[in-house]
Amino acid sequence: MSRIDETLEFIPVRIAILTVSDSRSLAEDKSGDTLVQRLTDSGHILAHRALVHDERNLIADQLRAWITDDNVDVIISTGGTGLTGRDVTVEAHRDVYEKEIDAFGTVFTIVSMKKIGTSAVQSRATGGVAGGTYLFALPGSTGACKDAWDEILAYQLDYRHRPCNFVEIFPRLTESQRRK
């Protein structure tokens, strides 16, 4: 069963928060604020925070910039994961992924179903890995960001979580590049 092993030392992770929105500023970004509060309350480090418009190339460019930043371990974006024509965050993420974490979207849907029922089908939350960095695209709603953090990311970004977690395999994410 899933648990926190209190005998292990907590390892803080450096996380960048990216808000994708045509209508909000950072000052009005409640979802970004929620993620920042939750990650810092958990003991992690806010590495960067930015806002970009719903433009696929702008989103992908920001993701790539942070992937190459040695001070960023994880990128969490919020916004632009829906079904409308302006929602291109998922496509931008997939433009930079080396590997997609398919089960992240599935688990997010399961968590969402418990809160919002069948409306969960309208979310395209996704996760992936690129350049040794984890990337997660969350919906823009504050509730969805809370659910994703509280029910999934808080555990998977905690080294003490058992039976396994994302932190313990950080050193192995770039194995294929080292073999060449």
Side-chain angles (χ1 to χ4, degrees):
M1 191 67 188
S2 176
R3 65 184 174 82
I4 298 293
D5 183 346
E6 299 289 348
T7 66
L8 298 173
E9 186 175 334
F10 178 81
I11 298 173
V13 175
R14 300 164 298 187
I15 303 172
I17 302 295
L18 178 63
T19 299
V20 178
S21 179
D22 285 335
S23 60
R24 283 183 278 173
S25 67
L26 281 178
E28 306 161 323
D29 180 21
K30 291 181 182 175
S31 294
D33 290 343
T34 295
L35 289 167
V36 169
Q37 187 66 51
R38 277 174 157 64
L39 76 89
T40 56
D41 285 352
S42 296
H44 296 296
I45 300 159
L46 177 64
H48 297 286
R49 185 170 179 189
L51 183 141
V52 296
H53 290 284
D54 291 277
E55 297 291 340
R56 187 171 177 168
N57 65 316
L58 295 176
I59 300 163
D61 287 349
Q62 184 61 71
L63 295 174
R64 287 185 185 103
W66 283 343
I67 288 166
T68 62
D69 184 335
D70 291 337
N71 293 312
V72 175
D73 301 312
V74 175
I75 301 167
I76 303 173
S77 69
T78 175
T81 62
L83 300 172
T84 72
R86 297 291 297 153
D87 292 326
V88 295
T89 301
V90 172
E91 289 76 16
H93 270 252
R94 288 181 175 148
D95 287 345
V96 301
Y97 287 168
E98 294 165 4
K99 293 184 178 185
E100 190 159 356
I101 305 170
D102 297 316
F104 180 80
T106 303
V107 173
F108 180 81
T109 301
I110 291 167
V111 168
S112 294
M113 283 284 298
K114 294 175 186 173
K115 307 282 174 99
I116 62 171
T118 60
S119 294
V121 302
Q122 293 189 32
S123 172
R124 298 183 306 136
T126 184
V129 178
T133 303
Y134 288 107
L135 301 95
F136 302 99
L138 308 179
S141 82
T142 303
C145 289
K146 287 177 183 177
D147 293 344
W149 182 268
D150 296 348
E151 304 292 331
I152 306 167
L153 296 174
Y155 297 106
Q156 284 300 299
L157 297 177
D158 189 331
Y159 176 73
R160 304 166 303 164
H161 183 262
R162 295 291 171 254
C164 59
N165 61 76
F166 290 141
V167 179
E168 66 190 352
I169 60 173
F170 266 124
R172 299 186 58 207
L173 294 179
T174 57
E175 284 176 332
S176 64
Q177 286 123 0
R178 290 193 303 263
R179 280 190 244 149
K180 293 179 183 179

